[in-house]
Amino acid sequence: MNSKKTVFVTGGAGFIGSHTVVELLNADFDVIVIDNFVNAVHGSDGQAPSLTRAQQITGRKLTFYQCDLLNKNDLSAIFKKHKIDFVIHFAAMKAVGESMQKPLFYYKNNVVSTINLMEVMRENGVYNLVFSSSCVVYGNPQYLPIDEAHPTGNVSSVYGRTKYCLEQMFEDICRAEKKWNVISLRYFNPVGAHPSGLIGEDPTRAYTNLMPIIGEVATGRLPELVIFGGDYESVDGTGIRDYIHVMDLATGHVAALKKFAENPRYKVYNLGTGTGYTVLQLVQAFEKVSKKTVPYRIEARRLGDIQAMWGNCSLAEKDLGWKAVYGLDQMCEDFWQWQTQNPTGYRCHVEDKQLAS
Ligand code: WQD
C-alpha cells in the first residue's frame, strides 16, 4: 500500500506553484497539479513546461490536469479519482491594476473559485488547506517589521481585498466546522528562480514587478528602469520591500503541511526574510551579480505604493521550524541565471524534444 501523502496543488504551473511542486516532489509527496493556463505558459503537448521541468529537476513524476476551479464538475471528477490528503491553493488572479478595472472578475476568480474548491474538498473528506495569501492584507504598515498581529483589512486594491476576504472566510469556516485546518501564508515579495535555471517566473501577461523589469533592462529589452519615487524615508529615498527567494517560499509550504498533524484549525504565517531592501539596493545587487549596468530614472511615486514593508517572520520559525535562508545576492543570481538561460522564458523551449522525454 502506498503510504505517501498526496498533495493537490491549484495553480501549480505558475511561478510560486511550480517551485513548490519541486520541493513537494523532493520531500517525497505524491503531487497532483491543476492549472487553467491563465497565468502559466501552455506547452504544445498540452502540458506546462514548468511542470515538465519540475519533473526533470526532481526525477519524479506528477499528475497534471488542465482544470479551472470555476468548473466544479471537472474539479469533483479529479477529487473522486484520487485520494488527496492536503491542498495547496495558489490559483488566483494577481494583477493589482487589473483588479481595479475588473472587480467582479477578480471576486469570481479568487473568491468563488476558492468556495468551489472548499466545497469539493468537503464533499470528498479533505479538510487541510494551505492558502497563498499576501502581505498586501496588512495595508499601509502601522509599525515595522509587520507581524501577524498587525491589523488587516485596510486594503486599497480589489486584488488585496479578495485575499483579505478569503482569510476572513477561512477563519469563519474553521471556527464553525472543527474538521477544517487552513493555513494562510502571507508572502512578502517573491523573487528569484530555481538554482538549476530550469524554472522561473514567466508570466503570460506584462511584467509589473520590480525584479523581472530589472531583468528586462539588463538584457536590453527595456531601455531603462523607471523607479517610482526617490523621496521616501529610506537610505537612498527609494521604497523598501522584503524580497524573498521563491525557493524559500516553496520550503515554507512544505513546512506548513507538517503542521496539519496538530489539527491547527486556522493559522496565519508571514513568509519573508525579515529584512527590507530599497529599490536601489536591489538594482545594485543585481548589477554586481549580472555584471550588467541597469540604467534607471527616478520618477514620481506610483499611485497606491507603500513606502516600506518588511516582515517579522519569527512565528513561522517558532511554529513551523521554517526560516528563509537565501540572501539578496542569491535571489539576483538565480533570477539572472533563469533569465539568461531562457531569454524568452518557457516559450523558447516549449518545442524542445529534451523536455518531452
Ligand atoms: C517593488 C518596489 C515599487 C516596478 C507586491 C506584489 C504584488 C502585490 C502587492 C502580491 C516598489 C518599485 C516597481 C518598477 C519600481 N501582491 N518599482 N519600478 O508593489 O511590493 O507589490 O505586493 O501578493 O503582486 O508584488 O511589488 O515588485 O511591484 O514593487 O520602482 O518598474 O519596486 O515602487 O517600491 P509591490 P513590486
Side-chain angles (χ1 to χ4, degrees):
M1 206 183 81
N2 184 1
S3 61
K4 271 186 199 162
K5 298 283 188 199
T6 300
V7 188
F8 181 82
V9 184
T10 77
F15 175 44
I16 305 171
S18 57
H19 289 78
T20 301
V21 164
V22 166
E23 286 305 288
L24 290 169
L25 293 171
N26 280 338
D28 215 26
F29 287 102
D30 283 334
V31 180
I32 300 164
V33 176
I34 64 163
D35 206 289
N36 65 1
F37 291 116
V38 166
N39 268 321
V41 176
H42 194 166
S44 54
D45 56 356
Q47 301 295 309
S50 59
L51 296 175
T52 307
R53 291 180 178 194
Q55 294 173 91
Q56 189 184 330
I57 290 167
T58 58
R60 293 201 52 217
K61 293 271 176 227
L62 56 80
T63 306
F64 175 74
Y65 297 96
Q66 182 172 351
C67 175
D68 193 310
L69 289 170
L70 292 173
N71 188 337
K72 219 172 150 187
N73 290 340
D74 282 3
L75 189 62
S76 277
I78 300 169
F79 269 77
K80 296 256 175 305
K81 205 166 160 194
H82 300 275
K83 193 201 149 294
I84 292 164
D85 297 286
F86 309 118
V87 174
I88 305 182
H89 178 32
F90 294 104
M93 302 302 295
K94 57 170 188 175
V96 173
E98 183 189 51
S99 75
M100 306 304 279
Q101 311 300 321
K102 300 180 181 172
L104 194 54
F105 179 73
Y106 267 69
Y107 279 104
K108 187 168 180 186
N109 275 281
N110 292 3
V111 180
V112 176
S113 63
T114 306
I115 294 172
N116 281 352
L117 173 66
M118 291 183 85
E119 283 182 348
V120 171
M121 285 174 70
R122 187 168 56 181
E123 281 158 26
N124 291 279
V126 184
Y127 291 97
N128 296 318
L129 175 70
V130 176
F131 176 65
S132 211
S133 192
S134 165
C135 64
V136 79
V137 300
Y138 294 120
N140 220 336
Q142 293 174 15
Y143 57 85
L144 288 164
I146 284 196
D147 58 19
E148 292 82 354
H150 185 284
T152 55
N154 189 14
V155 185
S156 51
S157 74
V158 171
Y159 160 75
R161 282 145 92 100
T162 64
K163 293 285 176 194
Y164 173 70
C165 206
L166 286 166
E167 285 203 3
Q168 299 293 295
M169 183 179 95
F170 299 140
E171 209 172 328
D172 290 340
I173 293 171
C174 292
R175 194 184 300 118
E177 298 179 36
K178 300 203 169 14
K179 283 186 176 172
W180 280 104
N181 296 302
V182 180
I183 298 178
S184 287
L185 299 178
R186 292 178 180 157
Y187 314 152
F188 282 77
N189 288 55
V191 295
H194 191 269
S196 65
L198 283 172
I199 59 173
E201 186 169 13
D202 185 12
T204 52
R205 290 135 174 262
Y207 296 115
T208 56
N209 292 130
L210 180 60
M211 175 127 14
I213 292 175
I214 292 178
E216 292 291 283
V217 176
T219 48
R221 282 198 293 248
L222 278 178
E224 62 182 356
L225 166 71
V226 175
I227 296 182
F228 302 130
D231 56 351
Y232 287 118
E233 272 174 49
S234 70
V235 282
D236 51 36
T238 62
I240 302 173
R241 295 291 184 275
D242 185 342
Y243 298 98
I244 173 167
H245 196 296
V246 64
M247 291 312 295
D248 276 330
L249 275 187
T251 56
H253 290 75
V254 178
L257 292 182
K258 294 185 188 130
K259 186 79 183 165
F260 286 133
E262 297 170 23
N263 193 5
R265 312 293 295 277
Y266 184 55
K267 294 275 183 212
V268 171
Y269 298 102
N270 282 346
L271 295 188
T273 63
T275 307
Y277 290 100
T278 66
V279 175
L280 275 175
Q281 284 168 337
L282 185 63
V283 169
Q284 282 149 11
F286 196 94
E287 286 183 323
K288 185 179 76 185
V289 161
S290 65
K291 301 184 179 61
K292 296 273 177 192
T293 306
V294 178
Y296 66 85
R297 167 166 53 96
I298 297 188
E299 287 225 342
R301 295 178 178 195
R302 185 168 63 176
L303 195 69
D305 247 355
I306 283 164
Q307 149 158 308
M309 176 80 111
W310 69 94
N312 175 337
C313 302
S314 53
L315 190 63
E317 186 173 359
K318 181 172 147 272
D319 254 33
L320 306 178
W322 173 90
K323 198 177 183 322
V325 295
Y326 291 94
L328 198 63
D329 285 358
Q330 195 65 45
M331 299 179 208
C332 294
E333 202 168 312
D334 290 338
F335 175 79
W336 183 237
Q337 179 175 236
W338 154 252
Q339 171 124 35
T340 46
Q341 284 181 21
N342 309 271
T344 54
Y346 292 115
R347 286 159 194 83
C348 58
H349 282 285
V350 163
E351 307 297 338
D352 189 336
K353 293 280 180 295
Q354 270 184 328
L355 273 177
S357 65

